[in-house]
Amino acid sequence: MDTPLLNATEIRQRIWQELQRAVQDRHHEWRTPVLATVDAHGAPQARTVVLRQADARQTELQFFTDKRSPKVAELEAPPSVALVFWSKRLSWQLRIQATATVQGSGPEVDGVWARVSQSPAAGDYLSANAPGAAWNPDATDPAPDHSQHHLAIVTLRVQNIDWLELARTGHRRAVFTADQWEWRVP
Ligand SMILES: Cc1cc2nc3c(=O)[nH]c(=O)nc-3n(C[C@H](O)[C@H](O)[C@H](O)COP(=O)(O)O)c2cc1C
């Protein structure tokens, strides 16, 4: 017997459930979405990030970055971003539009750093050279300064989720905002 199709309420719940799972499960296909921004020249930029938090109640997502990376300036003016997730297992694509805020210091960053500094990822936020800077492979890199990390938390407030389900029996698509949803032609 075929599994009954999820209705819109169930789809919304399942989307957030899967996003929360992706934060915990390093093998989840939604753990590494593509984040798209627009740079200072109006050109599109896109890159993979690791999903670190998914809060269904606040409709917020988080990832971590080096506060010196070019994407941070792109997130600040204007703070509009898009995220794309694809899961073969679910046959679901999510295209999320969101507004970003960047925290480079404060108690939340201190709390995250206390954890990350004990992990193998600590080096990602300690390098003396800024991400994207010119690099000479023949020169000796300055030693990392362990007294100063560059971790920033990026919080994405979700504006809408464009959900697409691929199925042999017929594709389905719906757009969800905070309190509404509507079906769309896939
Ligand atoms: C699997 C994977 C996960 C990544 N996760 C992150 C991440 O969580 N945060 C981050 O800043 N960069 C992450 N990166 C690196 C970015 O994709 C990107 O190369 C880097 O941040 C520089 O981007 P920018 O020049 O647009 O700032 C990841 C790359 C890969 C391949």
Side-chain angles (χ1 to χ4, degrees), residues 137-159:
D138 300 322
T140 311
D141 284 335
D145 175 0
H146 288 266
S147 68
Q148 196 191 4
H149 73 78
H150 302 283
L151 184 145
I153 302 173
V154 181
T155 302
L156 304 174
R157 169 61 65 93
V158 174
Q159 306 298 313

Side-chain angles (χ1 to χ4, degrees), residues 23-81:
V23 171
Q24 305 299 332
D25 175 1
R26 59 179 58 243
H27 301 296
H28 197 293
E29 295 159 298
W30 284 0
R31 190 172 170 85
T32 48
V34 173
L35 170 80
T37 51
V38 176
D39 72 15
H41 307 289
Q45 296 287 348
R47 79 290 282 158
T48 314
V49 293
V50 176
L51 189 65
R52 299 293 182 181
Q53 189 64 258
D55 184 330
R57 196 185 292 262
Q58 303 289 336
T59 62
E60 286 179 352
L61 304 171
Q62 283 185 340
F63 69 92
F64 305 153
T65 195
D66 184 313
K67 65 183 108 175
R68 301 166 299 174
S69 69
K71 75 177 82 50
V72 168
E74 292 164 19
L75 291 172
E76 282 169 346
S80 300
V81 304

Side-chain angles (χ1 to χ4, degrees), residues 5-129:
L5 288 177
L6 299 182
N7 65 34
T9 306
E10 293 165 336
I11 292 165
R12 187 199 290 276
Q13 283 171 352
R14 183 76 187 277
I15 287 170
W16 282 99
Q17 195 180 56
E18 293 289 343
L19 288 169
Q20 284 164 341
R21 280 185 190 158
V23 171
Q24 305 299 332
D25 175 1
R26 59 179 58 243
H27 301 296
H28 197 293
E29 295 159 298
W30 284 0
R31 190 172 170 85
T32 48
V34 173
L35 170 80
T37 51
V38 176
D39 72 15
H41 307 289
Q45 296 287 348
R47 79 290 282 158
T48 314
V49 293
V50 176
L51 189 65
R52 299 293 182 181
Q53 189 64 258
D55 184 330
R57 196 185 292 262
Q58 303 289 336
T59 62
E60 286 179 352
L61 304 171
Q62 283 185 340
F63 69 92
F64 305 153
T65 195
D66 184 313
K67 65 183 108 175
R68 301 166 299 174
S69 69
K71 75 177 82 50
V72 168
E74 292 164 19
L75 291 172
E76 282 169 346
S80 300
V81 304
L83 281 167
V84 182
F85 302 74
W86 160 244
S87 167
K88 191 173 177 196
R89 172 176 62 85
L90 297 164
S91 281
W92 283 8
Q93 172 184 260
L94 300 183
R95 296 164 66 194
I96 292 182
Q97 288 186 302
T99 49
T101 47
V102 181
Q103 283 171 268
S105 61
E108 199 176 342
V109 174
D110 294 346
V112 167
W113 180 244
R115 194 160 37 81
V116 173
S117 60
Q118 303 305 314
S119 77
D124 295 349
Y125 306 100
L126 287 169
S127 101
N129 298 319

